[in-house]
Amino acid sequence: MSDTIAAIATPMTPSAIGIIRLSGPGAIAAVDGVFTPAAGGAMVERPDRLLVYGLLRDEEGRTIDHCLATVSRAPHSYTGEDTAELQCHGSPAALILGLEALFAQGVRQAEAGEFTRRAFLAGKLDLTRTEAVADLIHAETADAVYQAAGQLGGAMAAVVEGVYHELAEVCAHFHAVLDYPDEDIHPFEIVELEGTLTRAARKLDQLEASYRRGRAVTQGIPCAVIGRPNVGKSTLFNALVGYERAIVTPIPGTTRDTVEERVNLGGILLRLIDTAGLREAEDTVERLGVQRSQEALKRAELAIVVLDRHMPVTPEDEEALALGMAARACIVVRNKADLPSLEETSVEEAVFSKLREKAPVVDLSALTGKGLELLEKAVASLFPDDSGLRPGAMLTNARQAEGARRSRQAVERGVQALAAGMPPDAVVADVEEAMSALGELTGRKVGEDVTALIFQRFCVGK
């Protein structure tokens, strides 16, 4: 990169501190053009990572702020380039004036994610760590923070690179024996290749298995709350969200559209969707609401089916249960536990006995909050952290999962080729394909279009 970029790296709201960040060959010179140290001299004379107090001035020399400045020289910086920061008071107006003063020094506005992109291109971060930066920015739960921090520390890269290097050693050994037959090189043994492929398959299975939990932690699980009218869906929705988000009345059909909120439940981020009651709608608007409820359920990975505990199971309840059980995961909530419940008939006992074999059944009162902790435990039980990988090593997005899946498939083809008695060169071709797929995870081999998509999630200044 030959140009120098700058951006305001803190939110544009009044705050205690506001930061302007620069990176590029002219970063330190640009800061010297707008910042005067109180003790005299220039920032180009200061050592790296030393905070210097002084005045930030505009192009005409007028004082904008009393602030701190620091520099870090290449290659010992976040981006691998010369970098600088101005730590100002958090006035959006002052920060904009400071940025405009830097533009007058020949600096340009940074694009979203450009600082981290430069770090990636300089080899400071691999692609898994790069994605972890975005995950950490957007983390909404404690588990998401720990996962992103571990991934940023290299936990996922260590797993991926471990498998990659083991497969690479197999390929290198094979080609060495093939290309230098007269050298005293240990013979290429099929048994060793089989052992390597088995270990790689086991580790890739762990990675693939981690995706469901990783996605739940970082991206959230689409979760539809369904049931017939007046069973307490909206009351439960409000109880989980923590405020009166959905309208609650005793009139059937009050909820006419889907209502969505994000909520942390059992350590899992749920993209919670309150739906219209499932029944034969009486008017056009309600029919549209029911239709949207059904569409939301199709998108959901988790369905929470709400029943009225003090009322007999109705055909509409049975329909809701059937729809919920068709989702990837389901929890049955028997609401209104604060009210006296009717004695279950033998038919209902049989229904719930079968349900408990397929999905958690939770008795609670959305109105009083009693039993909500049981729902939290049920959610957590459906998305366990049982991959066996250390924190930060879980796959967290579709790109990573797809690369791990293709690598695992290539390894499996290699195992099958060995079992079929295929020659080693055919097996090694599968091994090289597995390595190529793994290389896409860390960025050893990745297209510009993929890189561009990854940085779409970033904010300006990071």
Side-chain angles (χ1 to χ4, degrees):
M1 301 282 182
S2 59
D3 57 351
T4 300
I5 58 174
I8 298 170
T10 45
M12 292 297 286
T13 56
S15 59
I17 299 173
I19 295 175
I20 302 174
R21 180 173 291 159
L22 300 90
S23 180
I28 300 175
V31 167
D32 274 330
V34 301
F35 178 78
T36 304
M43 291 304 297
V44 71
E45 302 167 355
R46 297 305 202 273
D48 287 3
R49 289 171 288 282
L50 175 69
L51 282 173
V52 178
Y53 175 72
L55 298 178
L56 175 63
R57 302 181 186 275
D58 66 13
E59 191 177 2
E60 297 178 11
R62 294 174 295 186
T63 299
I64 297 171
D65 197 1
H66 296 247
C67 64
L68 299 171
T70 183
V71 300
S72 295
R73 293 170 176 82
H76 307 295
S77 70
Y78 179 73
T79 62
E81 304 174 321
D82 285 351
T83 62
E85 281 191 0
L86 293 164
Q87 300 182 11
C88 309
H89 293 91
S91 159
L95 293 171
I96 290 171
L97 287 172
L99 193 61
E100 289 174 348
L102 289 168
F103 291 161
Q105 300 293 317
V107 175
R108 72 164 173 85
Q109 172 68 51
E111 299 174 0
E114 190 168 1
F115 289 92
T116 303
R117 184 168 189 154
R118 291 187 177 205
F120 167 66
L121 295 174
K124 290 288 184 176
L125 300 172
D126 66 33
L127 216 49
T128 64
R129 289 180 173 92
T130 297
E131 289 173 314
V133 173
D135 286 345
L136 194 52
I137 290 171
H138 295 286
E140 296 183 50
T141 66
D143 283 350
V145 168
Y146 294 135
Q147 162 60 31
Q151 187 173 325
L152 184 57
M156 183 191 298
V159 175
V160 173
E161 289 294 310
V163 177
Y164 184 94
H165 285 303
E166 197 165 6
L167 295 177
E169 287 180 4
V170 167
C171 293
H173 188 189
F174 171 77
H175 288 295
V177 172
L178 187 66
D179 296 340
Y180 304 100
D182 297 330
E183 298 291 333
D184 186 20
I185 300 174
H186 178 67
F188 189 76
E189 299 288 349
I190 297 297
V191 174
E192 291 181 13
L193 176 56
E194 185 177 20
T196 298
L197 292 182
T198 299
R199 288 191 299 273
R202 187 162 51 246
K203 188 59 71 175
L204 289 170
D205 283 340
Q206 280 185 307
L207 272 175
E208 279 197 277
S210 74
Y211 177 48
R212 188 165 185 249
R213 169 73 181 188
R215 182 177 54 175
V217 166
T218 59
Q219 299 178 39
I221 296 298
C223 172
V225 182
I226 66 171
R228 62 179 172 85
N230 278 26
V231 293
K233 299 184 303 300
S234 295
T235 303
L236 177 60
F237 182 89
N238 289 339
L240 295 177
V241 172
Y243 69 101
E244 297 295 317
R245 176 65 176 85
I247 297 172
V248 178
T249 76
I251 303 170
T254 300
T255 303
R256 298 297 187 97
D257 201 353
T258 56
V259 180
E260 300 189 20
E261 286 289 340
R262 299 165 80 88
V263 60
N264 178 9
L265 197 64
I268 303 299
L269 180 64
L270 297 183
R271 305 206 301 268
L272 205 61
I273 309 166
D274 185 24
T275 65
L278 299 175
R279 67 168 181 167
E280 286 296 327
E282 297 178 356
D283 59 64
T284 302
V285 176
E286 189 179 356
R287 277 196 296 273
L288 287 172
V290 172
Q291 182 181 339
R292 290 192 179 185
S293 297
Q294 293 169 340
E295 291 171 356
L297 186 54
K298 290 177 183 177
R299 301 193 308 269
E301 290 188 40
L302 171 62
I304 297 179
V305 182
V306 183
L307 306 176
D308 188 333
R309 187 173 178 269
H310 83 297
M311 295 289 288
V313 175
T314 68
E316 289 171 332
D317 289 329
E318 292 176 355
E319 179 185 357
L321 287 167
L323 290 171
M325 289 299 172
R328 186 168 182 179
C330 180
I331 297 173
V332 179
V333 168
R334 300 202 299 178
N335 190 29
K336 305 186 182 180
D338 53 309
L339 299 177
S341 59
L342 297 180
E343 185 176 341
E344 291 182 1
T345 66
S346 58
V347 173
E348 288 169 330
E349 289 176 355
V351 167
F352 286 113
S353 178
K354 289 182 179 179
L355 280 178
R356 288 187 177 90
E357 296 175 4
K358 301 176 181 179
V361 178
V362 177
D363 287 347
L364 58 78
S365 169
L367 185 64
T368 67
K370 180 181 179 181
L372 286 179
E373 72 282 359
L374 300 177
L375 180 57
E376 287 197 29
K377 291 178 181 178
V379 171
S381 71
L382 293 176
F383 302 93
D385 184 9
D386 56 2
S387 65
L389 298 171
R390 69 185 181 124
M394 293 187 295
L395 303 181
T396 57
N397 62 54
R399 186 195 72 84
Q400 296 167 356
E402 173 64 13
R405 183 187 65 81
R406 287 191 285 108
S407 182
R408 178 64 178 87
Q409 288 177 339
V411 168
E412 181 59 30
R413 286 195 295 274
V415 171
Q416 293 174 355
L418 275 178
M422 298 288 286
D425 56 334
V427 180
V428 169
D430 291 319
V431 172
E432 290 174 341
E433 187 176 340
M435 290 172 57
S436 178
L438 284 177
E440 292 177 17
L441 263 71
T442 58
R444 285 177 177 268
K445 179 184 178 182
V446 64
E448 178 63 25
D449 55 339
V450 173
T451 305
L453 285 172
I454 288 170
F455 284 96
Q456 284 180 2
R457 291 185 63 213
F458 281 74
C459 55
V460 174
K462 189 57 183 174

